[in-house]
Amino acid sequence: LTKNRTEGSVVPTSGMCVTCVDGCIGMCEIGKSAYRGHEVIYPQPFGVITAAAEKSYPVDYSHFNIMGTATGAHGVEADSDKAIFPAVNLEVTFGHDNGIKFRRPWIISGVGSTDIARNNWEGLAIGSAVAGTGLTIGENVVGMDDEAVFKKGRVVDTADLKRRVQLYKDHQRDGYGAIIVQANIEDTRLGVQEYAIGTLGVECAELKWGQGAKDIGGEVKIRDLAKAQLLHERGYLVLPDPTDPGVINQFERGGFKEFERHSRVGMVSEESFAERV
Ligand code: SF4
């Protein structure tokens, strides 16, 4: 985590001290990023946290109020005896033919190949399915699955994706809610959505253009040489190159202890998007 030299006098838009001084060791977010960037690319402790940020922006959602209305009602009959809050209907339908229906108007966005996602999947899947809302399986779940089977570079069987989809579907009620499978560049190349739709019966897909949290692709740390080589073979960018004999030698001698697996950022164009749809 970070600190400021001038505690209590922090510029909200940058997270910096109001007077940034030459010679400071740089405990703030910007300072740490500058000299320990390769470490803070993965917020610590890696694998058990979901990262947010320490900045506060001049305008955020807390500055907006959802105002009710003094006349009429939405989602319930405008009758004083009937318009009580547990009776309000929050159902929504959407999609090109309004064929997707949710009991509650929210969706959990991409929860992917991270340990956080894997460890909490039961609660997320069963909770969303029972509530009749949407849950999105994020990127790289197939690529990171040791048990996934590929033929000619395309996925034909999985353990993790299958488990995630099944858990949701087993608890879905009356057709409400949806399990959505997201795809980034690597997922698309591996044929993840074709497999999810064709084999697992998934009905909703999300084409991923970029990252909600940052302007680089998704990344994780890999502490195992064989896994790093597997991901390299599956088309991921793995740094340093785990097939390079010099790198292997250095890793085995303890010169470094972790590889980085990066996924690419989608460079969307209107034409390519339309073609894919
Ligand atoms: S580097 Fe500058 S902004 Fe960051 S903690 Fe030090 S003085 Fe503050």
Side-chain angles (χ1 to χ4, degrees), residues 29-59:
E29 183 181 321
I30 289 179
K32 270 197 162 180
S33 309
Y35 72 97
R36 295 176 66 186
H38 66 289
E39 292 171 50
V40 293
I41 193 172
Y42 302 95
Q44 299 295 328
F46 178 75
V48 291
I49 52 149
T50 294
E54 290 182 339
K55 294 170 189 159
S56 63
Y57 288 88
V59 178

Side-chain angles (χ1 to χ4, degrees), residues 3-5 16-17 19-21 24 26-28:
K3 277 188 164 188
N4 280 82
R5 188 181 50 79
M16 290 176 73
C17 302
T19 51
C20 174
V21 66
C24 175
M27 308 156 288
C28 61

Side-chain angles (χ1 to χ4, degrees), residues 66-70:
I66 298 173
M67 304 300 288
T69 176

Side-chain angles (χ1 to χ4, degrees), residues 64-202:
F64 294 96
N65 281 330
I66 298 173
M67 304 300 288
T69 176
T71 59
H74 299 279
V76 73
E77 196 181 332
D79 176 322
S80 303
D81 290 321
K82 293 180 182 163
I84 56 172
F85 74 88
V88 175
N89 180 6
L90 291 173
E91 265 189 49
V92 287
T93 59
F94 55 98
H96 73 97
D97 60 353
N98 269 340
I100 305 170
K101 49 180 190 168
F102 283 11
R103 277 194 213 279
R104 304 277 183 271
W106 65 72
I107 191 166
I108 296 179
S109 55
V111 199
S113 60
T114 58
D115 289 344
I116 281 272
R118 197 176 5 260
N119 296 340
N120 293 287
W121 193 257
E122 278 199 4
L124 289 167
I126 297 172
S128 302
V130 168
T133 60
L135 175 61
T136 311
I137 299 175
E139 60 188 350
N140 300 324
V141 170
V142 170
M144 293 291 283
D145 182 351
D146 291 336
E147 295 174 54
V149 180
F150 297 86
K151 275 197 187 139
K152 294 185 185 160
R154 310 279 289 179
V155 63
V156 292
D157 195 16
T158 58
D160 201 12
L161 191 69
K162 197 189 283 178
R163 177 184 76 92
R164 293 196 195 205
V165 170
Q166 205 53 51
L167 202 57
Y168 184 93
K169 282 177 162 273
D170 285 349
H171 293 84
Q172 208 173 359
R173 296 177 180 173
D174 308 324
Y176 281 92
I179 184 82
I180 301 134
V181 173
Q182 188 185 71
N184 65 3
I185 299 276
E186 286 74 15
D187 295 312
T188 303
R189 291 180 181 170
L190 295 172
V192 169
Q193 286 182 327
E194 286 81 352
Y195 163 78
I197 294 166
T199 307
L200 302 182
V202 167

Side-chain angles (χ1 to χ4, degrees), residues 181-262:
V181 173
Q182 188 185 71
N184 65 3
I185 299 276
E186 286 74 15
D187 295 312
T188 303
R189 291 180 181 170
L190 295 172
V192 169
Q193 286 182 327
E194 286 81 352
Y195 163 78
I197 294 166
T199 307
L200 302 182
V202 167
E203 292 175 323
C204 295
E206 178 189 325
L207 302 181
K208 184 164 181 148
W209 290 359
Q211 289 274 332
K214 54 201 178 304
D215 288 344
I216 55 174
E219 72 280 345
V220 290
K221 292 189 178 211
I222 307 293
R223 298 186 177 91
D224 179 71
L225 177 63
K227 179 95 183 206
Q229 290 170 333
L230 179 80
L231 293 170
H232 175 87
E233 189 190 315
R234 290 180 179 178
Y236 286 94
L237 297 171
V238 181
L239 303 175
D241 183 349
T243 59
D244 181 324
V247 168
I248 295 173
N249 182 268
Q250 276 299 317
F251 182 79
E252 286 174 343
R253 291 171 55 190
F256 68 101
K257 302 203 177 330
E258 292 163 331
F259 291 90
E260 296 173 6
R261 185 230 64 195
H262 295 265

